[in-house]
Amino acid sequence: MPTLELPQSLHASGEKPVTIHYREFGRGKPLVILHGGWGYGLYPFDRQIAEFANSFRILVPDRSGYGHSTQVSGEMPLDFHHRAALETFSFLEALGIESATLWGHSDGSVIAAMMGLAAPERCACMILEAFHFLKRKPGSRSFFERFAAHPEELGEETRRVLAEDHGETRWATVLRRNCAVWFRIADSVERPDEDLYDGRLGELQVPALFLHGSLDPRTEPGEMDRVREALPRASMQFIATGKHSPHSEEDAWQECNAKAGEFLRNSN
């Protein structure tokens, strides 16, 4: 699989240079998939690649700190989504891509939205799946604390997939860093309703589809209502059987693909 080198990346704590590993499929307009906080392997986009590679050049980079990209040590900074957005812009620049469609999952959806706010001219449209809006997520606090401290308590199959993605000695560090930063973000807020976008999500001008599982355990009560209030014109599709990763779940991926396909056809 291909790699490229970036002069540096704030997401990699200023490492110079930074190696980014990525997957590439198909031909056409660029569609960049931005993985969630535990990496790409646990929630792969195999079924989306099979369906959309005839229409798009699909690029799936591992952010620094993930997969086979440059390893990162220490705590994730509280603004890691913003740093990852800058790294993704640098990735696109290295490939000579001026504008791309984005499909972000979980943390990747936050990164995609921040890219759209920062440089809308570089984002053709975006699919925001399993979106995060609030900084403070009390319903997920115990989840993050548990796996920050004890990633080995995950199921055997989950540990195997994570080890294949990040390496036998590295996968637990990936989980600890991501889980820990979420409760540190929560502890940093002054008001419980603070959002990840500094109140600016309503300024997003890029055509966006919010794809969300109705059973997503990482979503707070009323959280997606806040998103709808901020962006009343955006398309928001709920998948009744979907949890945190509708695109890869057996009961949800077909509906996910259908809704995504319609949006992509109408937006490109």
Side-chain angles (χ1 to χ4, degrees):
M1 295 183 184
T3 60
L4 58 77
E5 191 173 279
L6 305 179
Q8 66 176 15
S9 171
L10 289 175
H11 190 259
S13 303
E15 290 281 345
K16 301 180 183 181
V18 175
T19 299
I20 299 295
H21 163 268
Y22 64 100
R23 305 156 187 84
E24 183 169 3
F25 312 89
R27 299 179 64 182
K29 295 180 179 179
L31 166 60
V32 181
I33 291 173
L34 303 175
H35 63 74
W38 287 13
Y40 176 78
L42 196 60
Y43 305 111
F45 278 75
D46 296 348
R47 288 155 170 158
Q48 291 68 44
I49 290 165
E51 181 156 341
F52 301 120
N54 289 333
S55 303
F56 292 92
R57 177 190 179 191
I58 301 176
L59 299 161
V60 191
D62 287 331
R63 292 190 291 279
S64 57
Y66 290 89
H68 297 286
S69 295
T70 292
Q71 297 189 28
V72 180
S73 59
E75 293 184 333
M76 295 182 78
L78 298 183
D79 64 345
F80 77 94
H81 295 107
H82 171 70
R83 294 173 182 237
L86 296 177
E87 180 178 274
T88 306
F89 279 134
S90 296
F91 168 78
L92 294 175
E93 289 167 4
L95 292 174
I97 296 173
E98 295 182 359
S99 177
T101 292
L102 306 176
W103 186 330
H105 170 243
S106 192
D107 276 329
S109 70
V110 178
I111 294 162
M114 289 185 175
M115 292 174 68
L117 288 169
E121 72 282 359
R122 301 181 66 181
C123 307
C125 63
M126 57 183 60
I127 296 173
L128 305 173
E129 180 190 356
F131 191 67
H132 296 294
F133 180 74
L134 296 171
K135 287 185 175 181
R136 185 173 175 270
K137 288 178 171 276
S140 293
R141 177 83 184 207
S142 62
F143 173 89
F144 291 134
E145 289 182 334
R146 176 186 177 186
F147 293 114
H150 300 288
E152 72 281 358
E153 292 184 358
L154 289 165
E156 181 179 356
E157 178 62 15
T158 298
R159 297 197 310 271
R160 182 192 64 79
V161 173
L162 289 167
E164 287 183 355
D165 193 14
H166 308 296
E168 286 286 351
T169 61
R170 188 181 178 196
W171 71 266
T173 298
V174 171
L175 262 66
R176 287 191 181 101
R177 295 180 77 243
N178 182 258
C179 288
V181 75
W182 270 104
F183 60 77
R184 287 172 45 236
I185 288 172
D187 290 344
S188 73
V189 303
E190 296 181 1
R191 304 184 319 277
D193 62 344
E194 283 186 42
D195 66 77
L196 292 160
Y197 312 93
D198 298 324
R200 295 186 56 228
L201 186 63
E203 300 174 19
L204 183 67
Q205 298 298 313
V206 179
L209 166 65
F210 290 86
L211 268 181
H212 209 84
S214 296
L215 306 176
D216 191 340
R218 303 281 77 80
T219 302
E220 292 295 315
E223 186 169 10
M224 295 309 292
D225 292 334
R226 292 280 305 277
V227 176
R228 194 188 297 275
E229 291 171 5
L231 289 169
R233 296 183 180 180
S235 178
M236 188 173 293
Q237 298 287 342
F238 286 91
I239 298 177
T241 57
K243 300 184 179 88
H244 190 58
S245 178
H247 74 267
S248 63
E249 295 163 5
E250 286 296 332
D251 294 338
W253 74 266
Q254 290 178 310
E255 184 177 354
C256 183
N257 275 20
K259 294 181 185 301
E262 180 180 5
F263 173 76
L264 291 171
R265 285 190 297 272
N266 292 335
S267 302
N268 282 274

